[in-house]
Amino acid sequence: LEMKRDVYSGHLKLNGEQHRHTLIAANNYATSLFGLGRFEEAKSLVRKTMPVARRILGENEQLVLMMRSIYATALYDDPAATLDDLREAVP
């Protein structure tokens, strides 16, 4: 997890938030957070990066769809998620 966080931070500093490699690193980091049950952190990261990915790559880009899937799954699996959270996950 620490390595994925460092890779994401490095890409963010080197390339900026709008670079494809930064978005991929963010997705990988969020996936790891989700896998460890750190739902709030995963949701926060995806909430921050998904609008950028949509704007830069488009709605139907595979990476954007993967981010949406992670976000929806994190909300669904989070025991603290509310019904409004679940509605947000599936627009």
Side-chain angles (χ1 to χ4, degrees), residues 23-72:
L23 296 170
I24 290 169
N27 184 65
N28 291 341
Y29 182 35
T31 300
S32 295
L33 289 167
F34 169 73
L36 294 171
R38 294 167 67 170
F39 302 118
E40 284 304 317
E41 292 170 87
K43 290 186 295 187
S44 176
L45 180 58
V46 174
R47 262 191 224 116
K48 185 173 86 175
T49 56
M50 193 167 21
V52 176
R54 284 178 164 158
R55 187 175 67 249
I56 301 301
L57 304 173
E59 285 291 327
N60 295 320
E61 170 67 30
Q62 181 180 1
L63 182 60
V64 173
L65 297 174
M66 287 170 40
M67 285 181 171
R68 289 181 69 185
S69 175
I70 290 166
Y71 187 62

Side-chain angles (χ1 to χ4, degrees), residues 12-24:
L12 192 58
K13 289 176 189 169
L14 183 65
N15 302 315
E17 71 174 3
Q18 297 183 16
H19 195 279
R20 182 177 188 81
H21 292 158
T22 304
L23 296 170
I24 290 169

Side-chain angles (χ1 to χ4, degrees), residues 67-82:
M67 285 181 171
R68 289 181 69 185
S69 175
I70 290 166
Y71 187 62
T73 306
L75 284 170
Y76 183 78
D77 288 350
D78 184 356
T82 66

Side-chain angles (χ1 to χ4, degrees), residues 1-11 25 29 32 38:
L1 180 66
E2 186 176 323
M3 184 169 43
K4 291 200 180 185
R5 183 196 65 218
D6 291 346
V7 168
Y8 167 62
S9 295
H11 278 291
Y29 182 35
S32 295
R38 294 167 67 170

